[in-house]
Amino acid sequence: MKLTIIGSGYVGLTTGTCFAEMGHHVTCVDNNETKVKALREGIIPIYEPGLEDLIKKNVAVGKLKFTSSLQEALPEAEAIFIAVPTPPNEDGSVDLSFMERVAREIAEVLTPSMGYKVIVDKSTVPVKTGEKVAQTITHYAGKEVEFDVVSNPEFLREGCAVDDLLHPDRIVIGANSQRAMDVLKQVYRPFHAPILETDIESAELIKHAANSFLALKISYINAVARVCEKTGADVELVAEGIGMDKRISRHFLNAGLGYGGSCFPKDVKAFISISRQLGEPFLLLEEVERINEEQHERFLNRLRDRLWVFRDKKIAVWGLAFKQNTDDIRESIGIKLCQKLVAEGAIVSATDPKAMGTARPILEPIGVNFVDDMYECARDAEVLIIATEWADFANADLQKLSSVMRNRIIFDGRNIMSPDNLKTMNFEYHSVGRPSV
Ligand code: NAD
């Protein structure tokens, strides 16, 4: 099939590439011409395991191409996917101006002679956005243009997006017309994944409800971790014990610094905001958000208790990406920790296996030292903070680490190290919801 994706960021680029890999002919559009030029030259703007090879392979066989022109990308497309940003407004509601703009731009290009089009909303949007997109297109394109709007939320996880897209748990398609539903089912036929067919509103709600539930699991275990810290219990064992219950599952029960990233913080905020607008305040989610916001502050307080003052002390931070296997630093807790430590006068050095490039423009101007080698980063540090759960950090050579640090003190915000190993090596080790050693 001929497919167009508008917005070639984390979602659009990976989705478009995986559609091509499954046999479709895909045109990825982006209005950032620098990004399009780079993509055409084979420079991939994001780090996502396996993505670069798939892009190169599909470009080479002519199944994937890049443009910034909707005039070029729309006429032949059977389905047009929208994957543009939906960032939060100051009050937590969703800024839908990117969606509105794309709807207008699509309308300006579509003509009745191009035939029936399915416009697919892949961005994460508040319930009822599909209706607005359809109204906008009709308003600007005229009633003669034949199209349907469909909601097809994306559930990929950054860091394993290619695998998630090629082998999805489920595909959710929200459509109010059988004709549109059939087109989307044809798009997804090669994936052999379970398809849930819904109305548009339910599909839109599924995405916000799913992300909010995952965030809730994280805040839940972080609240349990606080009780563990007061009682000497070990939150890892508690998580193991409750996660063995199939009704609960162990996934997303990892105590730590809390969730970050481009999705959970904004999607929880959005769901809170929508519920309030609808007169059904979702107080449970307000608590989820409160616990999350407190989590890294509590961690810093524990560090303050240990060091007394931060001023002029060298503190190393391992981890700037909001999670492992990505270079994405949006709402990253590692970045927030660096900013707060610098604000209190600490001398901060930082490292990350993939996110140095994305973090530099934010942290270098405030004086954070970027060090490629993780052991050099920790050299002469009074404390090492672990802020991202990269495997490189979990598997660190403790002998080497102990030889470079000034004090052997580790504050592990992701519980990735073994307290027993650290005790044997004479480190002082603090983590989240586990007894310090
Ligand atoms: P992103 O910022 O990485 O990419 C968005 C892209 O859209 C950018 O390249 C931007 O230049 C482009 N763009 C903006 N306006 C445009 C326009 N008018 N025409 C053409 N291109 C335009 O964002 P993302 O992380 O890919 O997220 C996109 C949407 O998908 C959001 O709604 C997000 O909530 C949702 N989502 C994200 C993830 C994730 O893990 N990142 C997962 C599921 C859903």
Side-chain angles (χ1 to χ4, degrees), residues 7 9-11 30-31 35 86 105 124 154 158 263 266 330:
Y10 280 87
V11 170
D30 207 285
N31 64 357
K35 190 180 262 190
T86 48
E105 288 170 348
T124 301
E154 183 48 60
E158 283 181 25
C263 291
K266 97 174 159 60
R330 292 178 283 185

Side-chain angles (χ1 to χ4, degrees), residues 51-70:
L51 182 64
E52 186 165 350
D53 288 348
L54 274 196
I55 292 179
K56 289 188 170 154
K57 176 181 157 195
N58 284 286
V59 167
V61 295
K63 283 196 289 173
L64 181 62
K65 57 184 185 178
F66 305 101
T67 178
S68 41
S69 158
L70 286 180

